Amino acid sequence: MMKKHIGGAKSEKKKFEKQTAKFCQNQERYLNLTTKKPNSLQERHFYAASMDYVYLIQEVHERKKFEFVETLLTFVYAWFTFYHQGYELNKDCEPYMKDLQQKIQKTRSNFDDFSQKLKKRMSEVQKQDEPVRKNTKGCREGYLFLLEKKAFGTTWTKHYCTYDKNTKKFTMLPYNQLTTKTLPPPDTMVLASCVRRMSDSIEKRFCFDIQSDDKPGVILTFQALSEQDRKAWMDIMDGKEP
């Protein structure tokens, strides 16, 4: 409608304005003639252009009454079709949605129970003097600090260590949560002995020495995280008192 009918009316308007200007010029010349000269006023083209222009304007206004409503109605039908399809899809998925909702409610309920149990357990652990991870199935793992001798003194390096009582295999890996350096391969050895370090022989607390069959005569000194942690390591390593 916009391009065909309104565009046609605009073209006809230009034609009408052109004929109007020509008619007005002829009218002025006609009125300036004397009574002695023959005269005639050509009005036929102006009237024809006027009628065509009025017709097209009327046609545009009449078309607006139904073409706009038709477009709007088509749009409404499209939306109704969309919602109808959505309604049918909702009916098909309704059993699944209800089942999923029940599962979600059950999961939420389980989460609430788990959260309460976890808070209770945390409260119990916090009341303990010093919680220590127990040895499980003849194995232990955790963090220890290794005494290393450097050119200008000694340093304590944090290691992640594991020990298997059945094979007596002890593994240590330098690791610190505060750094992002590439980890070297772990150092593995077969444990030969474990002895508690006497407090008056070293400045650090919770220390013990180990020796391995792989490096006879080499003593490695480790510092545990607490007295109970040292006791747990020595228990699984069959450690001895000095």
Side-chain angles (χ1 to χ4, degrees), residues 16 18 83 98 127 132 169 213 228:
F16 169 73
K18 184 177 180 180
Y83 283 119
K98 288 183 177 180
K127 291 179 181 178
V132 177
K169 184 179 293 185
D213 294 334
Q228 293 185 5

Side-chain angles (χ1 to χ4, degrees), residues 15-227:
K15 182 179 178 182
F16 169 73
E17 290 175 347
K18 184 177 180 180
Q19 291 296 332
T20 300
K22 185 182 293 186
F23 173 75
C24 291
Q25 292 174 358
N26 290 334
Q27 189 178 49
E28 290 179 1
R29 285 197 295 267
Y30 173 75
L31 294 176
N32 289 329
L33 294 176
T34 62
T35 56
K36 296 180 179 180
K37 293 184 179 181
N39 57 79
S40 63
L41 181 62
Q42 299 294 331
E43 299 178 350
R44 180 168 53 86
H45 296 294
F46 171 70
Y47 288 147
S50 300
M51 292 297 102
D52 291 340
Y53 181 49
V54 170
Y55 169 76
L56 290 177
I57 291 177
Q58 184 66 25
E59 185 182 48
V60 169
H61 283 288
E62 292 300 323
R63 282 184 175 275
K64 287 194 300 183
K65 295 179 181 180
F66 61 88
E67 289 193 357
F68 174 75
V69 177
E70 282 180 348
T71 303
L72 183 61
L73 184 61
T74 302
F75 176 77
V76 172
Y77 271 124
W79 271 104
F80 282 166
T81 302
F82 171 77
Y83 283 119
H84 178 72
Q85 291 176 348
Y87 172 75
E88 294 296 331
L89 182 62
N90 178 67
K91 286 180 61 178
D92 295 339
C93 296
E94 189 173 6
Y96 168 76
M97 299 293 287
K98 288 183 177 180
D99 180 64
L100 182 60
Q101 185 177 12
Q102 292 176 356
K103 290 181 179 179
I104 292 174
Q105 291 176 349
K106 184 178 180 180
T107 304
R108 178 180 290 276
S109 178
N110 293 339
F111 169 77
D112 293 337
D113 294 340
F114 171 77
S115 180
Q116 292 178 1
K117 291 179 181 178
L118 183 60
K119 289 180 180 179
K120 182 179 179 181
R121 179 57 182 163
M122 288 174 59
S123 177
E124 293 175 354
V125 171
Q126 289 174 355
K127 291 179 181 178
Q128 297 178 4
D129 294 336
E130 189 175 2
V132 177
R133 184 175 181 180
K134 297 181 179 180
N135 301 328
T136 56
K137 297 182 180 180
C139 297
R140 183 168 181 80
E141 58 185 21
Y143 291 102
L144 295 172
F145 287 85
L146 173 65
L147 175 62
E148 294 182 313
K149 295 181 180 180
K150 302 292 183 179
F152 300 98
T154 58
T155 182
W156 293 86
T157 307
K158 191 174 186 179
H159 285 66
Y160 182 77
C161 303
T162 62
Y163 179 71
D164 188 342
K165 188 172 184 177
N166 296 326
T167 60
K168 291 189 175 183
K169 184 179 293 185
F170 180 80
T171 303
M172 58 181 184
L173 175 67
Y175 180 74
N176 192 324
Q177 293 92 334
L178 303 180
T179 62
T180 57
K181 296 181 180 179
T182 303
L183 298 178
D187 189 6
T188 303
M189 63 191 74
V190 177
L191 184 70
S193 65
C194 173
V195 180
R196 182 179 67 84
R197 188 69 177 263
M198 295 182 63
S199 300
D200 56 359
S201 65
I202 193 169
E203 295 180 355
K204 296 287 186 177
R205 300 180 298 170
F206 320 131
C207 296
F208 61 93
D209 298 331
I210 67 171
Q211 287 183 296
S212 67
D213 294 334
D214 308 75
K215 300 178 181 179
V218 177
I219 299 176
L220 299 178
T221 301
F222 288 95
Q223 181 188 27
L225 303 180
S226 65
E227 180 60 37

